[in-house]
Amino acid sequence: MNEMTTITTTLKDWETDQEVRWCPGCGDYAILKAVQRTLPQLGADPAKTVFVSGIGCSSRFPYYVESYGFHTIHGRAPAFATGMKLANPELDIWLVTGDGDGLSIGGNHLLHALRRNVNMQIMLFNNEIYGLTKGQYSPTSRLGTSSPSTPGGSVDRPVQPCAFALGVGARFVARGFDVSKNLPDVLKAAHAHKGAAFVEIFQNCIVYNKDVFHDFAAPKGAEDQQLWLQHGEPMLFANGTKGLARDVQNMTLKVVDVVDGDWEAAGVKRHDVTNRALAHMLVELPFGPFPMALGVIYDDPRPTYEDAVLDQDVKSREGKVADLGKLLSKGQTWTVSGTAADPV
């Protein structure tokens, strides 16, 4: 596979002439702008960039990015994206999905794109609700969520998207939220990863699930509840006054106080993006007692699906001559003789 050729663009080059139509105040606006700001910094080529989506509020995304785009069918965007990558590995594919589209009807397809490790960036917008169909509870809705489909409160235990991704074999897992200034850095890291890069983006649904992430994702005032992870750096939060240490007795993590900036004395651990066990612990930390783990949680590449398929194809053709007639006559064949005028 050839390396992508970088070109010079600006944010304006990635904006379409389409009217952006989400509810006023929707977090999707901020995510769209973050992506449009990031693409020029990546040196991305609009002629080789494809945005693929399924169905849902987030799935309007391809209309608003000046590149190739496919608004496909409910939950099946990963299958379309996989086919595109196999047909033309030079395409830079961004898959846009939501918690309903990607984890309900599309859970099976998302699973296979991740376990196969198809080289694409997968952005899952998580607002913990079905927005497009007017506020029913979704696979990620919390216990007790009151909605038109759960008037007595949801009794389903919610899916944790990053835990799902790790569980099915994803090699890159990250988190961000719509209005975060750090979201472009998360997207850049996902793009740099060769393979299926899964990014959960917490997104505020202003109409049906307003401020559900306010405790850690408010535009201002929630910084103390955010743990922004960086490889090799101590896992500190609350302006460096708290950190995560290993709880040896329970084989998990615990919150510790950091006095006078001495995080080593407090036992705070450094983040290691290649440590799969640590990644599992981070994505399943209960919010409240713990901060929300954000940034790149896991990044440990392996060979991609399309490289393996194309390599296999090349090897299968070595030393062979293309002969369609021979291929068609191979196996059990028979010849029908006579003419239409002959009696049956």
Side-chain angles (χ1 to χ4, degrees), residues 28 30 36 106:
D28 287 352
Q36 290 172 329

Side-chain angles (χ1 to χ4, degrees), residues 78 115 179 234 262 279 298:
R115 73 170 180 85
V179 296
D262 193 350
Y298 183 63

Side-chain angles (χ1 to χ4, degrees), residues 31-268:
I31 300 171
L32 173 63
K33 198 57 65 178
V35 170
Q36 290 172 329
R37 288 194 180 104
T38 301
L39 290 167
Q41 297 174 35
L42 297 174
D45 182 352
K48 293 185 177 180
T49 302
V50 186
F51 280 81
V52 187
S53 67
I55 297 296
C57 295
S58 64
S59 294
R60 298 185 62 82
F61 216 88
Y63 295 105
Y64 307 138
V65 183
E66 189 61 47
S67 67
Y68 287 103
F70 289 84
H71 190 175
T72 69
I73 53 181
H74 206 0
R76 275 69 172 186
F80 282 85
T82 299
M84 293 173 204
K85 196 66 179 178
L86 288 173
N88 187 352
E90 292 189 3
L91 294 177
D92 186 17
I93 296 179
W94 296 75
L95 193 151
V96 184
T97 187
D99 47 301
D101 181 65
L103 294 171
S104 185
I105 190 171
N108 172 52
H109 295 279
L110 182 58
L111 179 157
H112 295 304
L114 291 170
R115 73 170 180 85
R116 286 172 172 152
N117 200 35
V118 185
N119 190 15
M120 66 179 80
Q121 296 76 241
I122 301 172
M123 299 187 295
L124 186 141
F125 298 8
N126 182 11
N127 56 21
E128 295 188 0
I129 207 76
Y130 277 104
L132 186 66
T133 51
K134 307 300 184 284
Q136 299 88 345
Y137 85 116
S138 84
T140 58
S141 295
R142 302 175 193 187
L143 288 169
T145 296
S146 178
S147 78
S149 53
T150 53
S154 172
V155 297
D156 283 3
R157 187 165 299 279
V159 174
Q160 297 186 53
C162 287
F164 166 83
L166 284 168
V168 301
R171 309 301 298 188
F172 181 100
V173 175
R175 273 191 189 137
F177 61 91
D178 46 17
V179 296
S180 171
K181 64 181 180 180
N182 296 325
L183 182 56
D185 290 333
V186 176
L187 297 176
K188 290 176 193 175
H191 189 267
H193 175 89
K194 187 176 181 182
F198 181 83
V199 183
E200 178 186 12
I201 305 175
F202 296 110
Q203 177 256 323
N204 185 30
C205 178
I206 195 74
V207 176
Y208 297 110
N209 214 13
K210 184 180 178 181
D211 297 338
V212 69
F213 307 117
H214 199 72
D215 289 346
F216 68 87
K220 294 181 180 179
E223 292 80 7
D224 284 357
Q225 299 302 316
Q226 300 168 13
L227 170 61
W228 283 99
L229 300 161
Q230 292 187 5
H231 180 62
E233 296 297 322
M235 295 189 289
L236 296 169
F237 64 101
N239 200 29
T241 62
K242 294 181 181 294
L244 295 187
R246 184 168 295 161
D247 186 337
V248 178
Q249 182 177 356
N250 297 311
M251 296 297 290
T252 185
L253 298 171
K254 62 181 179 180
V255 175
V256 294
D257 293 319
V258 177
V259 180
D260 296 328
D262 193 350
W263 57 269
E264 290 181 294
V268 175

